[in-house]
Each structure stands twice: as structure tokens, then as C-alpha cells.
Amino acid sequence: MFDRRGGRDRGAGQPGADPAAARPSAPPVPSVPAAPPAPAPLSSADISGWREALAGVDRDVSDAERVDQLRTLEELKAAAAAAQARIAVDLDVSQRRAQEAAGVPAKKRGQGVGAQVALARRESPHQGGRLLGLAKTLVLEMPHTFAALQAGTISEWRATLVVRESICLVRADRAALDDQLWADPGAVERLGTRALVARAKQLAYRLDAASVVARARRAEAERSVSLRPAPDTMTYLTGLLPVAQGVGVWAALTRTADALRAQGDGRSRGQIMADTLVERVTGQARAADVPVEVQLVMTDRTLLAGDAEPALIPGYGTVPADFARDLLAARLPTPDGADGAAATGPDERRVLAWLRRLFTASGTGELVALDSRRRIAPPGLARFINTRDQACRTSWCDAPIRHRDHVVPAAAGGPTTAQNLRGACEGCNYARQAPGWAARTLPTSQDTVTSGDGDQGDGQRAGPGGHVVELTTPTGHTYTSHAPPLPGHRPAPATGPPGRQPAGPPGAPESDSRLKRLVERHRATLDRTA
């Protein structure tokens, strides 16, 4: 045992004790403190305990302590991001070895790993691939930036920006940039985000100016246009253009807006620029006249009886009922004449509004299924899947539907039916081609048939109704995807047969008579196109 001074008790006064211990001796040589024991490796259960403990952070503290808590938690977030990066790299290495053992060609190894990272982090597959690429660069090629992330000196986003500016360099130059950037860690920590990016760009240009210039030239090949939802039934139409072209488009729109404003146009400058963009791209005389199919999905009650049930625009999301009715009314022919007949003339042919009836199962809101004997979904079935699923069915992936993916592959005998098809983006569909992935449709309480793979499995059911797909990754993790509810779905099961339902409850507001007469005039057309 040890005495109070930290020296070992030699057992004086005990039988067999050394007599020399009682004689005076030289001063003891200071001992080197023993290194603290290495912490035990952490498991997912340990980390879960931390997460639960964070809910009990002490709140009865001073403001100075609150600021310290904020800083410490921010550093913990960065350290967690570093741990995720290392884990992602380990997963990639392990999965590639497993795929090699399974005989997968070298150029296809690693397929699906980014999708697994995405599912684990509740991100889209595209973002999962980017996170995996970031992790591999940090862990394997930029040790100083990775160490700063582990220490909480920089955030995951700032580390991403540093990697982005170095990605055009060869591996040796990227390591040199990492060394030079972190020669003074304190200075880097004090830099703002824009200053950090500027510093990384400067170092990259010094190390290999030709690669930076070539990267700028290659960027022109990545020009594109994208569309994403914005609040209040608006969208963001974004064009990624070379700088000269982008500035030219902006200057042209600005000149037009300034000229019209000078002539007394009552619209704001931004409104004129937006309208001019739509008119010049579509060739229409007015921005409101664009004859585009938006596949508006709404109940007959919303269309005809002024019901407040929201409508749906696939690819955008939910829109208010009034907005949906206004969208249709604005695209009808000119107002009816006094005798109720539709007015004729050039305006009637200006824009057409086509209506297509869709039937849903009572209680579940699920669309009535279609099927086909073809391997590739025919146009009608493809529209059906697009309307039912609205976006890629992989969990946390909001990408537009590009493929109608067989849940049970066609090569394995899976039929081309609505039950065995799911909407998928290209990335999610291709990720499933890697070894170890599996999927099946889960039966629900409304189903009387087996799941899509013809096997009830363990009897698991997905819920009260709707199309449900269970995806299993090579590591055995499962993720369940439910088709989103369509307008008009109510928890209580309906009792009437599919088809036309009563217009609405007593006292429901009267809808736009033009909409109602349009539907009545084209009832025969509706029956033919249903």
C-alpha cells in the first residue's frame, strides 16, 4: 500500500522487514507520475447515454456558465463530426473488402456505401456521398484539418469549405496546403468563414495555379438550372451560369425593368424582372399564360364545392385550396356568355386545363392500383407511381422521381405492378444494385394480399394502410418508407364506393361557377381519360 507521502510502505516493524530500512537513507528520487489509463473504447450505447444526459444540462447557472456551455457543446458537435468521418471511412473500407470477396468488379466496389451513410445520418443519398467523400479526404489526406475538427477548433461546415478549395489539387499538394494553413492554428481559429475560404484559395493557387485555372474552366461544363420549393406557393428557379453569362442575363432583365418602370408600369422592379424572365424563356406574351402541366391533385370537393382540403402539386408539395382553384380558373376560357355557353375566340385556345380522375381506396387514401405485363412501367402506370409517391421513396431523399424501381427485381420475378413499384431517383435505384441490399412491401391492416415479395415474413404490418416499402442495407439495418397521404385522406374509413362523392357538407361555400360548368361540359372527356 501507499503512505500519505506517496512512498511505498516497506513493512517496518513487521516480521521479515529489512533492518536497513530503519537507518537514515538518501533523499528519495522523485517518481514519474503514472500515465492515466487509456479510456475504454466507446460503443453506440455509451454515446446514446451522452445524448440522454444532455437533456439534463444544468440551467440554474450564471450567464458566463451558459456561454461556456454553448462553446463546449459546439466543440462537442465538431468532435462528433470528426468521429462520424472516421467511422464512415472504416465502413467504406469494410464494405469494399466485403464486395471484393463477393466478386464485385474493382470499378464497382464502394457502390451503395454513401447511401448507407446517408440513411444513418438521415440525409439524402446525394448528401451522403458528399459526406463520405469529405470524410475520406479529411481522414486520409488532411490530418491537420481533421485534428482541428476533432479538437472542436473548426466546425464541420468550415472543414468542408477547406476541403472544397483543395479538391482540385493532387494529393501531395493537398497535404502541403493542409500543413501551411495550420502553421498557426490560433490565426486560423480567428478567421471568419469568408476569410478562411480566401486563405485556402490563395494557398491552392500558389501550390498549383494550373489546376485552379483548369478547375474554373471545367466548372462551365457543370452549368445547370434547378428548381426547388419556396414558401407560400413560390419556387426558386436557379441558374448556375458562367459569370459573364449570369451578369449578362441580370443586366438585360434590369434594363427591361428600368425601362418599363420609367413608362409608368405599376409593378415593382423585381416583379418585372421575374415576369420578363418567364416570358422570354417560354415565349409567352404574358407570364401568367404559361401552358405547363403541373399535375395538380385535388379532391372533387375542393374543385366543385369550395372545400378547404388542400391540394397537391407533385414535386412542390401542398398548396391551399383557394390557390388551386384560382390556378385553374386563371387558365379557363373567357367568361361564359349570358346564355351559359362558353365564349369562343383566340383566348379559349390560349391555355387548356385537362382533368383526370383518380380513385383512392376507402380508409387508406391509397390510389387504386394499376398493373402491366411489361418490365418498364407504361406511361399511365408511371404517372400513377409519380402521383402516389410524389418524390423518391428512400427515407430522407427528396429528389425528383426518375425511375420506377421494382421492389422485388424483375429479374427475380417481380411483377410490374403499382404494389411492386416505387418511385426512385437514379442514385437510390443504382445504390440498390450493390450486394446485400434488399426490399419488400409490407402488408397493412387493409391488405388482403401478401407483401410484394410473396412472403408474409414475420407477420409485421406497417400500419392502417397505404403503400409501405421496407429497405434493408448490407449491414442489416432496416428503413421503412410510407407513401405520403393524398388530398382528401381522412382517418375514418369512407363507406361509399370509389367514384363521385357528395359535393360537400351542407352549407359548404359555393365554388367558382366557371369551374363547375367546365367539369360538367367535359364529363364525357373525363370518363374517357380516367
Side-chain angles (χ1 to χ4, degrees), residues 313-351:
I313 296 180
Y316 176 85
T318 301
V319 296
D322 288 339
F323 173 84
R325 285 190 289 267
D326 292 344
L327 186 66
L328 284 176
R331 282 156 174 76
L332 294 182
T334 54
D336 295 349
D339 58 355
T344 59
D347 284 342
E348 184 175 10
R349 295 187 299 273
R350 173 171 53 84
V351 180

Coordinates of all heavy atoms in Angstrom, one line a residue, residues 313-351:
I313 N -49.3 19.6 -55.5 CA -48.6 19.7 -56.8 C -47.4 18.8 -56.6 O -46.4 19.1 -55.9 CB -48.2 21.2 -57.1 CG1 -49.4 22.0 -57.3 CG2 -47.3 21.2 -58.3 CD1 -49.1 23.5 -57.6
P314 N -47.3 17.7 -57.3 CA -46.2 16.8 -57.2 C -44.9 17.5 -57.6 O -44.8 18.3 -58.6 CB -46.5 15.7 -58.3 CG -48.0 15.7 -58.4 CD -48.4 17.1 -58.2
G315 N -43.9 17.3 -56.8 CA -42.6 18.0 -56.9 C -42.5 19.3 -56.2 O -41.4 19.8 -56.0
Y316 N -43.7 19.8 -55.7 CA -43.6 21.0 -54.9 C -44.2 20.7 -53.5 O -43.5 20.9 -52.5 CB -44.5 22.1 -55.6 CG -44.6 23.4 -54.7 CD1 -43.6 24.3 -54.7 CD2 -45.6 23.6 -53.8 CE1 -43.6 25.4 -53.9 CE2 -45.7 24.7 -53.0 CZ -44.7 25.6 -53.0 OH -44.7 26.7 -52.2
G317 N -45.4 20.2 -53.4 CA -46.0 19.9 -52.1 C -47.4 20.5 -52.0 O -48.1 20.7 -53.0
T318 N -47.8 20.7 -50.8 CA -49.2 21.1 -50.5 C -49.4 22.6 -50.8 O -48.5 23.4 -50.6 CB -49.5 20.9 -49.0 OG1 -49.3 19.5 -48.7 CG2 -50.9 21.3 -48.7
V319 N -50.5 22.9 -51.4 CA -50.9 24.3 -51.7 C -52.3 24.5 -51.2 O -53.1 23.5 -51.1 CB -50.9 24.6 -53.2 CG1 -49.4 24.5 -53.7 CG2 -51.8 23.7 -54.0
P320 N -52.7 25.7 -50.8 CA -54.0 26.0 -50.3 C -55.1 25.7 -51.3 O -54.9 25.8 -52.5 CB -54.0 27.4 -49.9 CG -52.6 27.8 -49.7 CD -51.8 26.9 -50.7
A321 N -56.3 25.4 -50.9 CA -57.4 25.0 -51.8 C -57.8 26.3 -52.6 O -58.0 26.1 -53.8 CB -58.6 24.6 -51.0
D322 N -57.8 27.4 -52.0 CA -58.2 28.6 -52.8 C -57.2 28.9 -53.9 O -57.5 29.3 -55.0 CB -58.3 29.9 -51.9 CG -59.5 29.8 -51.0 OD1 -60.5 29.1 -51.4 OD2 -59.5 30.5 -50.0
F323 N -55.9 28.7 -53.6 CA -54.8 28.9 -54.6 C -55.0 27.9 -55.8 O -54.9 28.2 -56.9 CB -53.5 28.7 -54.0 CG -52.3 28.7 -55.0 CD1 -51.8 29.9 -55.4 CD2 -51.8 27.5 -55.5 CE1 -50.8 29.8 -56.4 CE2 -50.8 27.5 -56.4 CZ -50.3 28.7 -56.9
A324 N -55.4 26.6 -55.5 CA -55.6 25.6 -56.5 C -56.7 26.0 -57.4 O -56.7 25.9 -58.6 CB -55.8 24.2 -55.9
R325 N -57.8 26.5 -56.8 CA -59.0 26.9 -57.6 C -58.6 28.1 -58.5 O -59.0 28.2 -59.7 CB -60.2 27.1 -56.7 CG -60.9 25.9 -56.2 CD -62.2 26.2 -55.5 NE -62.0 26.9 -54.2 CZ -61.9 26.3 -53.1 NH1 -62.0 25.0 -53.0 NH2 -61.7 27.0 -52.0
D326 N -57.9 29.0 -57.9 CA -57.5 30.2 -58.7 C -56.6 29.8 -59.9 O -56.7 30.4 -60.9 CB -56.8 31.2 -57.8 CG -57.8 31.9 -56.8 OD1 -59.0 31.7 -57.0 OD2 -57.3 32.4 -55.8
L327 N -55.7 28.8 -59.6 CA -54.8 28.4 -60.7 C -55.6 27.8 -61.8 O -55.2 28.1 -63.0 CB -53.8 27.3 -60.1 CG -52.7 26.9 -61.0 CD1 -51.7 28.0 -61.3 CD2 -52.0 25.7 -60.3
L328 N -56.6 27.1 -61.6 CA -57.4 26.5 -62.7 C -58.3 27.6 -63.3 O -58.4 27.7 -64.5 CB -58.3 25.4 -62.1 CG -57.7 24.1 -61.8 CD1 -58.7 23.1 -61.2 CD2 -57.1 23.5 -63.1
A329 N -58.9 28.5 -62.5 CA -59.8 29.5 -63.0 C -59.0 30.4 -64.0 O -59.6 30.9 -65.0 CB -60.4 30.3 -61.9
A330 N -57.8 30.7 -63.6 CA -57.0 31.6 -64.5 C -56.7 31.1 -65.8 O -56.3 31.8 -66.7 CB -55.7 32.0 -63.7
R331 N -56.8 29.7 -66.0 CA -56.5 29.1 -67.2 C -57.7 28.6 -68.0 O -57.6 27.8 -68.9 CB -55.5 27.9 -66.9 CG -54.1 28.4 -66.7 CD -53.3 27.5 -65.9 NE -51.9 27.9 -65.9 CZ -51.5 29.0 -65.1 NH1 -52.3 29.6 -64.3 NH2 -50.2 29.4 -65.1
L332 N -58.9 29.1 -67.6 CA -60.1 28.7 -68.3 C -60.3 29.7 -69.5 O -59.7 30.7 -69.5 CB -61.3 28.8 -67.4 CG -61.3 27.7 -66.2 CD1 -62.6 27.9 -65.4 CD2 -61.2 26.3 -66.8
P333 N -61.2 29.3 -70.4 CA -61.5 30.2 -71.5 C -62.1 31.5 -70.9 O -62.4 31.7 -69.7 CB -62.5 29.5 -72.3 CG -62.2 28.0 -72.0 CD -61.8 28.0 -70.6
T334 N -62.4 32.4 -71.8 CA -63.0 33.7 -71.4 C -64.4 33.5 -70.7 O -65.0 32.4 -70.9 CB -63.2 34.6 -72.6 OG1 -64.0 33.9 -73.6 CG2 -61.9 35.0 -73.2
P335 N -64.9 34.4 -69.9 CA -66.1 34.2 -69.2 C -67.3 33.8 -70.1 O -67.4 34.1 -71.2 CB -66.4 35.6 -68.6 CG -65.0 36.2 -68.5 CD -64.3 35.7 -69.7
D336 N -68.2 33.0 -69.5 CA -69.3 32.5 -70.2 C -70.2 33.6 -70.6 O -70.3 34.7 -70.0 CB -70.1 31.5 -69.4 CG -69.3 30.3 -69.0 OD1 -68.3 30.1 -69.7 OD2 -69.8 29.5 -68.2
G337 N -70.9 33.4 -71.7 CA -71.9 34.4 -72.2 C -73.1 34.3 -71.3 O -73.3 33.5 -70.4
A338 N -74.1 35.2 -71.6 CA -75.3 35.3 -70.8 C -76.1 34.0 -70.9 O -76.8 33.7 -69.9 CB -76.1 36.5 -71.3
D339 N -76.0 33.3 -72.0 CA -76.8 32.1 -72.1 C -76.1 30.8 -71.5 O -76.6 29.7 -71.6 CB -77.1 31.8 -73.6 CG -75.8 31.7 -74.4 OD1 -74.7 31.9 -73.8 OD2 -75.9 31.3 -75.6
G340 N -74.9 31.0 -70.9 CA -74.3 29.9 -70.2 C -73.3 29.2 -71.2 O -72.6 28.3 -70.7
A341 N -73.4 29.5 -72.5 CA -72.5 28.8 -73.4 C -71.1 29.4 -73.3 O -70.9 30.6 -73.0 CB -73.0 28.9 -74.8
A342 N -70.1 28.6 -73.5 CA -68.7 29.1 -73.4 C -68.4 30.0 -74.5 O -68.8 29.8 -75.7 CB -67.7 27.9 -73.4
A343 N -67.8 31.1 -74.2 CA -67.4 32.0 -75.2 C -66.2 31.4 -76.1 O -65.4 30.7 -75.6 CB -66.9 33.4 -74.6
T344 N -66.2 31.8 -77.3 CA -65.2 31.2 -78.2 C -64.3 32.4 -78.7 O -64.6 33.5 -78.6 CB -65.8 30.6 -79.4 OG1 -66.6 31.5 -80.1 CG2 -66.7 29.4 -79.0
G345 N -63.2 32.0 -79.2 CA -62.3 33.0 -79.7 C -60.8 32.6 -79.5 O -60.6 31.5 -78.9
P346 N -59.9 33.4 -79.8 CA -58.5 33.1 -79.6 C -58.1 32.7 -78.2 O -57.3 31.9 -77.9 CB -57.7 34.3 -80.1 CG -58.7 35.0 -81.0 CD -60.0 34.8 -80.4
D347 N -58.7 33.4 -77.2 CA -58.4 33.2 -75.8 C -58.7 31.8 -75.3 O -58.1 31.3 -74.4 CB -59.0 34.3 -74.9 CG -58.4 35.6 -75.0 OD1 -57.2 35.6 -75.5 OD2 -59.0 36.6 -74.7
E348 N -59.8 31.2 -75.9 CA -60.2 29.9 -75.4 C -59.1 28.9 -75.7 O -59.0 27.9 -75.0 CB -61.5 29.5 -76.1 CG -62.1 28.2 -75.5 CD -63.4 27.8 -76.1 OE1 -63.9 28.5 -77.0 OE2 -64.0 26.9 -75.6
R349 N -58.4 29.1 -76.8 CA -57.4 28.1 -77.2 C -56.0 28.5 -76.6 O -55.0 27.8 -76.8 CB -57.2 28.1 -78.7 CG -58.4 27.6 -79.4 CD -58.2 27.4 -80.9 NE -57.8 28.6 -81.6 CZ -58.7 29.5 -82.1 NH1 -60.0 29.2 -82.0 NH2 -58.3 30.6 -82.6
R350 N -56.0 29.6 -75.8 CA -54.7 30.1 -75.2 C -54.2 29.1 -74.3 O -53.0 28.7 -74.4 CB -55.0 31.4 -74.5 CG -53.8 31.9 -73.8 CD -54.1 33.4 -73.3 NE -55.3 33.5 -72.6 CZ -55.5 33.2 -71.3 NH1 -54.4 32.8 -70.6 NH2 -56.6 33.4 -70.7
V351 N -54.9 28.6 -73.3 CA -54.5 27.7 -72.3 C -55.6 26.7 -72.0 O -56.7 27.0 -72.0 CB -54.1 28.4 -71.0 CG1 -53.6 27.4 -70.0 CG2 -53.1 29.5 -71.2

